[in-house]
């Protein structure tokens, strides 16, 4: 046995990181449009104006905005989502190149504020829908299955300014309307959906994940509840409109090792999985796990669910689990042992002497992917879909337009081998494999262009200068062969 027939090989992109055209054709500002460009050492900031007319820029991991803050773009700040990779104008060429590679799926997100510019508009923005019509039709022309993320790290910022986005339950009907619009409009053309990208990161970076301006434990509990209900309603709507729709959740996942064989380290390492597991528990099983209710009670968090809400969660369970995996983290239970290693949405890891790291300091650990899949499979027995995985690296564009990226090929090869073992040895049901940022795009954590993941090079620099010409990297031909042979030829 090897990769199943129809295995969905492909890649993933997100609207705010690739499209640009942030204010074209009636698009409203999204939370992502309010994030400045950063660097590897200087984090991105979120900009807003306080009631007294002062403009503030706060680090995205620490944002705690005062009441009445109005988020937006302001003079003197650089916002990379304005142009990103200019996919809005280049999508035809981009999709043709993906088709040339033989892509079977493209995971893309739709921008809610392109369709409902303020989030709660009466009617959708026809031009926004027309753009996605063109993109989806272009994909279908090449038999590339669209895998659509309903909300990938952006929410219409008007909803943040109105009531704090997911802090307020009034966000739910707005999201429902957006989902219903898409479900009905794209019926028969889109069959695979994901609800919220990396929903568990709402507990770490609430504004980036869902436009939530507060970082308190109560705010996180409230926004989690509202998004979980919205996710369940989205699943229900998509199933009702087209029973053949397959809907997944999407969590940022990883693999957490104890720093030593000490039981305290093991407990601490296991605890790192608590947040993604909590979200998965609700989205896959349809109810809040007892451990979360105990945690809320012990910490004085106000929380309750009506019978109707319980019913919604129960009826809106997902068909598969989508997850991102980039790196593993080593964890200590000893407060004296302090680490500062980073990974995707993980901080304060302890250095792991067995693993190499990327230029951005993320560990490279393909075995960790297999362990992650074993864990998810053991817990949920639902089909798994790694919808994000890849290596962010600096590439050099040679004169003549080639890019030699053996490091990327090696990273992806090893991770595909890990998935192969998960399929062949562990018997795990895996739907496909989508590499992150198959076309170079802006990094979510730093806003840089220099942190590249693609098979397709985009000639633009961190300041947004360049021709935006597309070039095939060496990994392009390699991945084409992988897809052609359904993962048999990885040489
Ligand atoms: C995930 C996000 C993506 C993506 C990726 C890589 O958390 O879902 O949007 O960007 O991480 O992270 P980065 O862009 O910071 O390298």
């Amino acid at each position: 046995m090897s990769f199943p027939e129809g295995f969905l090989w492909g890649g993933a992109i997100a609207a705010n990181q690739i499209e640009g055209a942030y204010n074209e054709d009636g698009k409203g500002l999204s939370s992502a449009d309010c994030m400045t460009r950063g660097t590897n050492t200087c984090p991105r900031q979120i900009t807003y104006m306080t009631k007294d007319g002062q403009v503030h820029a706060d680090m995205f991991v620490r944002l705690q905005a005062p009441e009445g803050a109005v988020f937006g773009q302001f003079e003197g700040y650089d916002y990379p989502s304005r142009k990103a990779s200019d996919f809005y104008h280049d999508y035809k060429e981009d999709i043709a190149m993906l088709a040339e590679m033989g892509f079977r799926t493209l995971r893309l997100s739709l921008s809610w504020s392109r369709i409902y510019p303020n989030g709660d508009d009466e009617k959708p923005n026809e031009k926004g829908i027309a753009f996605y019509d063109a993109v989806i039709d272009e994909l279908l022309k090449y038999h590339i299955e669209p895998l659509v993320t309903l909300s990938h790290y952006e929410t219409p910022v008007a909803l943040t300014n109105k009531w704090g986005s997911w802090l307020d339950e009034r966000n739910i009907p707005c999201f429902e309307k957006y989902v219903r619009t898409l479900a009905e409009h794209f019926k028969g053309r889109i069959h695979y959906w994901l609800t919220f990208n990396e929903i568990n990161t709402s507990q770490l970076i609430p504004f980036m994940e869902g436009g939530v301006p507060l970082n308190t434990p109560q705010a996180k509990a409230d926004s989690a509840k509202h998004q979980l209900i919205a996710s369940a309603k989205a699943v229900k709507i998509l199933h009702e409109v087209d029973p053949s729709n397959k809907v997944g959740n999407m969590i940022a996942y990883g693999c957490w090792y104890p720093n030593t064989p000490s039981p305290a380290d093991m407990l601490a390492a296991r605890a790192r999985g608590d947040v993604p597991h909590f979200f998965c528990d609700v989205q896959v099983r349809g109810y809040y796990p007892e451990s979360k209710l105990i945690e809320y009670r012990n910490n004085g968090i106000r929380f309750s669910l009506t019978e109707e809400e319980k019913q919604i969660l129960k009826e809106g369970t997902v068909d598969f689990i989508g997850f991102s995996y980039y790196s593993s983290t080593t964890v200590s239970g000893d407060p004296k042992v302090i680490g500062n290693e980073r990974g995707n949405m993980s901080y304060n890891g302890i250095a792991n002497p067995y693993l190499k790291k990327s230029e951005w300091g993320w560990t490279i650990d393909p075995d960790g992917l297999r362990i992650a899949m074993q864990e998810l499979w053991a817990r949920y027995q639902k089909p798994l879909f790694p919808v994000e995985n890849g290596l962010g690296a600096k590439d050099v564009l040679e004169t003549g337009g080639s890019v030699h990226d053996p490091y990327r090929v090696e990273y992806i090869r090893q991770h595909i081998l890990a998935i192969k073992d998960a399929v062949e040895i562990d018997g795990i049901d895996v739907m496909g494999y989508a590499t992150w940022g198959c076309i170079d795009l802006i990094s979510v954590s730093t806003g840089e262009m220099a942190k590249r993941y693609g098979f397709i090079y985009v000639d633009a620099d961190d300041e947004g200068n360049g021709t935006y010409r597309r070039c095939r990297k060496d990994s392009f031909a390699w991945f084409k062969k992988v897809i052609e042979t359904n993962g048999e030829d990885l040489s």
Side-chain angles (χ1 to χ4, degrees), residues 196 208 449:
F196 291 95
M208 191 189 264
M449 194 69 187

Side-chain angles (χ1 to χ4, degrees), residues 21-28 88 111-119 121-133 177-178 181-182 185:
Y22 79 107
N23 63 354
E24 272 180 53
D25 293 334
K27 178 181 171 296
Y88 195 78
S111 162
W112 182 357
S113 66
R114 224 181 252 299
I115 296 186
Y116 286 100
N118 298 293
D121 312 71
E122 172 122 17
K123 293 227 159 65
N125 169 27
E126 292 302 334
K127 286 189 172 162
I129 295 194
F131 169 64
Y132 291 120
D133 263 336
K177 187 168 164 186
Y178 161 65
T181 303
L182 299 180
H185 187 81

Side-chain angles (χ1 to χ4, degrees), residues 174-437:
C174 298
F175 187 71
E176 267 184 89
K177 187 168 164 186
Y178 161 65
V179 175
R180 191 170 288 284
T181 303
L182 299 180
E184 287 171 356
H185 187 81
F186 291 102
K187 181 174 173 177
R189 287 189 285 164
I190 301 174
H191 300 284
Y192 294 91
W193 304 82
L194 296 165
T195 58
F196 291 95
N197 179 63
E198 297 191 335
I199 188 169
N200 50 310
T201 64
S202 59
Q203 308 301 288
L204 184 68
I205 41 162
F207 187 88
M208 191 189 264
E209 191 273 338
V212 172
L214 291 180
N215 215 328
T216 61
Q218 185 64 54
K220 289 183 200 176
D222 292 343
S223 82
K225 172 178 159 180
H226 298 142
Q227 285 191 72
L228 284 165
I229 290 174
S231 171
K233 287 195 165 189
V235 176
K236 273 190 74 176
I237 292 169
L238 288 161
H239 282 159
E240 267 162 32
V241 173
D242 184 350
S244 72
N245 273 330
K246 296 257 175 284
V247 194
N249 64 338
M250 166 31 175
I251 53 165
Y253 206 54
C255 168
W256 302 275
Y257 300 116
N259 189 37
T260 72
S262 130
D265 284 358
M266 185 64 182
L267 275 169
R270 287 182 67 83
R272 286 286 182 108
D274 286 353
V275 177
H277 292 149
F278 151 60
F279 282 93
C280 242
D281 285 355
V282 182
Q283 294 181 300
V284 175
R285 297 180 179 145
Y287 55 90
Y288 268 61
E290 198 53 37
S291 56
K292 188 49 82 178
L293 303 177
I294 294 171
E295 179 195 315
Y296 285 165
R297 273 201 300 276
N298 289 347
N299 291 290
I301 305 288
R302 293 181 304 281
F303 178 81
S304 64
L305 286 169
T306 63
E307 285 313 308
E308 194 195 334
E309 288 169 336
K310 286 184 190 164
Q311 192 61 23
I312 293 164
L313 292 179
K314 204 163 142 193
E315 289 170 3
T317 56
V318 292
D319 305 309
F320 66 95
I321 297 172
F323 67 98
S324 60
Y325 174 88
Y326 291 88
S327 52
S328 60
T329 310
T330 302
V331 181
S332 172
D334 179 349
K336 293 192 293 298
V337 180
I338 302 186
N340 58 7
E341 301 289 320
R342 287 178 299 163
N344 183 38
M345 304 302 158
S346 96
Y347 303 89
N348 310 325
I350 314 289
N352 186 330
Y354 300 97
L355 299 175
K356 293 204 177 96
K357 292 191 276 189
S358 78
E359 290 167 276
W360 273 261
W362 296 12
T363 57
I364 298 176
D365 183 8
D367 288 331
L369 172 57
R370 180 162 169 215
I371 297 167
M373 294 177 81
Q374 289 171 341
E375 180 70 27
L376 288 173
W377 182 248
R379 291 179 73 97
Y380 303 110
Q381 290 94 47
K382 280 273 171 199
L384 302 182
F385 201 154
V387 292
E388 269 189 41
N389 171 246
L391 179 72
K394 287 187 185 128
D395 293 328
V396 179
L397 179 65
E398 311 282 345
T399 34
S402 51
V403 176
H404 306 304
D405 57 347
Y407 35 87
R408 183 165 296 107
V409 167
E410 196 44 30
Y411 179 101
I412 297 176
R413 185 205 326 274
Q414 295 302 333
H415 285 77
I416 293 176
L417 284 169
I419 298 172
K420 205 167 191 259
D421 284 348
V423 172
E424 289 179 358
I425 302 172
D426 305 328
I428 298 174
D429 184 353
V430 188
M431 294 169 64
Y433 173 63
T435 65
W436 173 247

